[in-house]
């Protein structure tokens, strides 16, 4: 690859970060090898688990050992989750014995649970220590690799959590006070199996830098730090956004995902929507007589049904995001519904006015609709209010229905809402037309 | 409000957290006052700036002072950004003099810049101190309110940043070593004006817990901690998701946002899409002759144009999210385009097969299309490949075009893509029909 060769003698971590997304796996390994050792370590530690796996596997065995041992046990576990089972066994051999045991424990947890995110190494102390003793003891522990020592965890002999001391408190306290008198006992802990989305909410609610993970006996298994939560939040948002686009979520970056995998993630929903959309064809066939008598009706048809889809997609997006952030819960459905009924009428009337103006303008300018211009305008206007209202009601309630049925509310994507609304929108439009135009145009 | 009164004598922070989203502002103030003091403080600190402002303003002046003084300067500045200018002046008076000065400095920064997110209180030390001296000095500083002491910042006399010491390193080092020999000098810093999205990426790239903010002379102005970045990431995702739903982004939670403000945020895009959608009516009028001769063509019309919108919305969503995560950049447009051309053909062929089967099935079952079934099936199939391909190409390129024009790529929402694709999709379908069916159906 041109770009990499050219700069071979002066590639910095910053350069590599810039071109990284554009490189293939092989190019990444080659370019990474050009970094100076210190740069390389910093760069490596900032990569995702997937990219770290690529780099490690790109090296021969003895070099691999060096890189994988740079990682904390939770990060090593992430890397091992990105490789094949064969590669996993090979890489496992490269870890030192205690880390291997820790990683094995971590791999047993679901990747997206508190247990799967935690680091088993954390600062600990005993309640009967004095503050001075505790600080000295922390200095000893710091020589080992600790994930964070911003909080220290006070444990009894059975490793059960008694309290938490923040460094700020420990440092601000007189040296001869006991740890038990300084520690916070109003504890926020996460069970091992807690889902990462719930865990992210726990962090947001309590504004904490780290949360200890405990088993069902209250014994501390590790801690999750807020920097891992940033990744969780990004991941969950990506998942929701992909679903909102009317497809299954990709787990790796778009350009790095196998082409056929991307197709598979898209074709499912696309086919479902297409088959669902066939309902519109059946509705159209039902109204074939009216359509053949007044072709002018078909002229406004795409415009009117699209408006229902658009207003519905706004409503579903608002509700889905509010649900993901826990701002709207199931029991709020009635407040949401009431709001969206009013929104639907308001927005519908505004579009109706624009629509009627369009019909009348064309009539004045081109004499487009003859004697029927007023009635046609009325048909378009009334239909728009109905279709937009249908859109906001359907769009806002679909996420609730999906959640009650234990599906992901984010599946109520803009395309899904449009498809749901299209056939009913057609029925509204063509029925209104029949009512208003029978005896004149029809 | 029933719920609150019933549990008045035993309301816990946990209870309040559960019912919080369902309460009005007045109910929130009333319920909050029922918490025990220690619970209340914990709960208060975990609230968003907006909610904190509601609580503070709900109290009489002397109580207000108590609550606002609980906040670090950056959090106090957030609260002041949520209130009217009059209320701001009143609340400012309640702060102590040094905090007021700090808050005033913070308010001068854009809310979504590094300067607006930083805390001006951080742990500092001099390079010539020994490790033992530095640790004692930190214990002194910890008695004041520091945002974090996980990192300490080594400054010269002009407050310029010389290096950073993590607690882990400081604690792990021999007591008689100098700070200058322990500190990290390969520094990651953020300029004051850096946008919060870029800042979030900086955190992700370097996996840091805090980043110092410096002015153009390299003097440290404050630090941003990763827990604030979690909020930034959530906010940015919400903004993008709202835009992807075809509306302007809301800044406060849906149910808490004024009804008419929500309408205003929606009506702009909805009207633009409606007016853009009128192009479909003009296209339809252009093909009125063909449509009146073969009404069967209109039957498949909504289905076919919806498929273009759906495939386009998938493509735009993938590209927009990858851009937001910096996985796809402007120069990648050709790789994306090539990928989406192949995707469009692949997905189009799959839908075409389903579409042709539908036409033939209905023909066999209901003799729906007479002699023209085969040709009609061919028309539907060929159009679908064309429309789906048009959708993936338009959907994937729109975000690039918007970015080049300095608009937000996230505006290439599913509804926007559908509207853009609808008229062109109609032209494809009706032109294909004309080519295949002229002399038979037409």
């Amino acid at each position: 690859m041109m770009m990499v060769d050219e700069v071979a003698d002066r590639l910095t971590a910053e350069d590599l970060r810039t071109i990284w997304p554009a490189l293939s796996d092989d190019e990444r390994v080659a370019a990474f090898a050009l970094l100076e050792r210190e740069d390389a370590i910093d760069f490596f530690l900032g990569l995702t688990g997937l990219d770290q796996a690529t780099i490690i596997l790109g090296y021969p065995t003895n070099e691999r050992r060096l890189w994988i041992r740079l990682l904390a046990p939770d990060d090593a576990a992430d890397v091992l989750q990105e490789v094949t089972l064969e590669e996993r066994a090979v890489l496992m051999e490269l870890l030192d014995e205690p880390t291997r045991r820790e990683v094995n424990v971590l791999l047993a947890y679901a990747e997206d649970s508190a247990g799967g995110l935690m680091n088993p190494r954390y600062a600990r102390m005993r309640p009967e220590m004095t503050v001075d003793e505790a600080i000295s003891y922390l200095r000893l522990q710091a020589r080992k690799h600790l994930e964070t020592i911003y909080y220290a965890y006070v444990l009894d002999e059975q490793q059960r959590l008694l309290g938490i001391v923040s460094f700020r408190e420990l440092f601000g306290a007189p040296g001869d006070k006991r740890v038990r008198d300084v520690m916070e006992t109003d504890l926020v802990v996460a069970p091992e199996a807690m889902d990462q989305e719930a865990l992210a909410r726990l962090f947001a609610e309590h504004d904490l830098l780290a949360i200890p993970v405990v088993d069902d006996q209250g014994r501390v298994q590790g801690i999750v730090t807020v920097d891992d939560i940033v990744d969780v939040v990004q991941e969950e948002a990506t998942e929701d956004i992909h679903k909102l686009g009317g497809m299954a979520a990709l787990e790796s970056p778009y350009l790095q995902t196998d082409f056929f995998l991307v197709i598979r993630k898209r074709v499912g929903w696309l086919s479902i929507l297409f088959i669902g959309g066939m309902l519109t064809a059946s509705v159209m066939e039902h109204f074939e007589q009216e359509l053949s008598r007044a072709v002018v009706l078909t002229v406004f048809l795409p415009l009117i049904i699209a408006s229902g889809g658009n207003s519905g997609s706004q409503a579903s997006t608002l509700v889905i995001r509010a649900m993901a952030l826990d701002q709207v819960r199931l029991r709020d459905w009635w407040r949401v519904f009431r709001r969206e009924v009013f929104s639907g009428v308001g927005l519908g009337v505004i579009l109706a006015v624009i629509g009627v103006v369009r019909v009348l303008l064309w009539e004045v300018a081109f004499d487009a609709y003859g004697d029927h211009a007023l009635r046609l305008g009325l048909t378009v206007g009334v239909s728009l209010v109905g279709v937009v209202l249908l859109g906001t009601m359907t769009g806002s309630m679909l996420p609730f229905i999906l959640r009650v049925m234990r599906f992901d509310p984010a599946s109520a994507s803009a395309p899904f809402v449009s498809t749901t609304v299209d056939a009913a929108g057609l029925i509204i439009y063509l029925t209104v037309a029949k009512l208003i135009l029978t005896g004149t145009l029809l």
Side-chain angles (χ1 to χ4, degrees), chain A:
Chain A
M1 152 111 192
M2 265 305 270
M3 222 158 160
V4 174
D5 290 345
E6 269 170 13
V7 295
D9 50 337
R10 48 188 173 83
L11 189 82
T12 68
E14 210 39 54
D15 296 333
L16 185 51
R17 214 166 271 126
T18 310
I19 59 173
W20 193 256
L23 301 182
S24 71
D25 283 356
D26 288 347
E27 289 163 351
R28 285 175 179 186
V29 171
F32 180 78
L34 298 175
L35 293 178
E36 287 183 30
R37 181 53 53 106
E38 201 156 329
D39 262 10
I41 291 174
D42 181 47
F43 183 82
F44 178 74
L45 292 177
L47 291 175
T48 61
L50 180 65
D51 284 344
Q52 286 171 340
T54 309
I55 296 296
I56 294 171
L57 291 173
Y59 277 109
T61 308
N62 52 336
E63 288 264 339
R64 283 180 182 175
R65 187 190 312 269
L66 181 86
W67 291 105
I68 197 162
R69 289 198 176 190
L70 276 179
L71 299 173
D74 56 335
D75 296 327
D78 285 348
V79 166
L80 294 176
Q81 240 135 4
E82 300 289 354
V83 301
T84 65
L85 283 178
E86 263 168 63
E87 290 165 340
R88 185 184 289 187
V90 173
L91 293 179
M92 270 291 204
E93 282 303 305
L94 303 177
L95 297 171
D96 58 75
E97 183 52 31
T99 308
R100 192 181 315 144
R101 247 179 292 123
E102 287 171 327
V103 168
N104 259 322
V105 171
L106 293 176
L107 285 173
Y109 290 106
E111 212 181 333
D112 55 0
S113 71
L117 287 167
M118 75 188 178
N119 188 320
R121 295 174 188 175
Y122 54 92
R124 58 192 83 191
M125 48 185 57
R126 290 251 173 271
E128 61 276 9
M129 285 178 170
T130 67
V131 167
D132 278 339
E133 284 166 356
I135 293 179
S136 301
Y137 184 55
L138 275 180
R139 288 180 78 164
L140 267 177
Q141 293 181 64
R143 307 227 162 106
K144 294 185 284 168
H145 184 77
L146 295 178
E147 166 84 7
T148 179
I149 49 172
Y150 182 74
Y151 297 119
Y153 299 86
V154 187
L155 308 182
D156 68 8
E157 284 88 12
Q158 278 77 47
Q159 305 293 314
R160 278 185 309 235
L161 188 61
L162 300 175
I164 296 181
V165 185
S166 84
F167 257 45
R168 190 194 293 162
E169 285 154 3
L170 192 68
F171 268 49
D176 54 353
K177 249 190 151 171
R178 298 273 159 195
V179 166
R180 88 165 82 247
D181 301 319
V182 182
M183 71 190 188
E184 174 77 50
T185 54
D186 192 8
L187 304 173
V188 176
V189 300
E192 299 160 291
M194 182 178 247
D195 176 76
Q196 62 178 7
E197 244 183 307
L199 189 61
R201 273 203 293 274
L202 207 58
F203 269 93
E205 281 168 5
H206 297 277
D207 249 345
L208 293 167
L209 292 176
I211 291 180
V213 179
V214 298
D215 66 12
D216 46 16
Q217 325 267 316
R219 286 177 307 214
V220 179
Q221 302 298 305
I223 57 170
V224 178
T225 50
V226 69
D227 51 317
D228 294 323
I229 296 300
V230 175
D231 300 334
V232 166
V233 166
Q234 285 287 30
E235 244 175 58
E236 296 285 340
T238 301
E239 207 179 298
D240 277 1
I241 287 174
H242 284 174
K243 287 183 183 162
L244 285 167
M247 54 178 292
L250 295 186
E251 272 145 38
S252 47
Y254 167 64
L255 281 177
Q256 282 168 260
T257 309
D258 178 65
F259 175 77
F260 291 99
L261 183 59
V262 179
I263 292 279
R264 274 211 303 282
K265 295 278 185 183
R266 292 162 77 163
V267 77
W269 266 111
L270 207 57
S271 307
I272 291 170
L273 294 170
F274 184 72
I275 291 168
M278 286 179 180
L279 199 55
T280 59
S282 302
V283 172
M284 297 285 274
E285 277 167 353
H286 180 79
F287 285 96
E288 213 165 335
Q289 224 179 347
E290 285 79 12
L291 289 170
S292 64
R293 255 187 256 150
V295 179
V296 69
L297 280 182
T298 61
V299 165
F300 293 99
L301 199 141
L303 179 61
I304 287 171
I305 60 173
S307 301
N310 294 344
S311 68
S313 122
Q314 291 183 336
S316 72
T317 304
L318 281 172
V319 173
I320 289 165
R321 186 58 182 164
M323 275 184 173
L325 297 177
D326 216 28
Q327 294 162 348
V328 162
R329 304 191 186 172
L330 272 186
R331 79 186 105 184
D332 295 320
W333 75 271
W334 174 245
R335 289 178 66 200
V336 171
F337 185 75
R338 211 175 39 189
R339 242 177 182 243
E340 288 302 319
V341 167
F342 288 115
S343 301
V345 173
L347 295 168
V349 167
I350 295 171
L351 293 198
V353 170
I354 305 177
V356 171
V357 168
R358 158 69 168 78
V359 171
L360 299 183
L361 266 183
W362 256 241
E363 173 63 19
V364 172
F366 314 113
D367 190 19
Y369 316 110
D371 298 342
H372 311 296
L374 267 179
R375 279 170 179 271
L376 184 66
L378 191 65
T379 305
V380 169
V382 172
S383 308
L384 274 169
V385 177
V387 168
V388 170
L389 178 61
L390 172 80
T392 60
M393 291 194 311
T394 312
S396 60
M397 291 299 109
L398 258 180
F400 286 100
I401 295 168
L402 287 173
R403 175 163 273 192
V404 169
M405 293 170 67
R406 313 220 159 256
F407 290 113
D408 187 343
S411 303
S413 59
F416 184 32
V417 171
S418 308
T419 304
T420 312
V421 169
D422 274 358
L426 278 176
I427 295 178
I428 290 179
Y429 175 48
L430 296 171
T431 306
V432 169
K434 229 169 143 172
L435 291 175
I436 296 183
L437 301 175
T438 293
T440 60
L441 247 177
L442 292 177

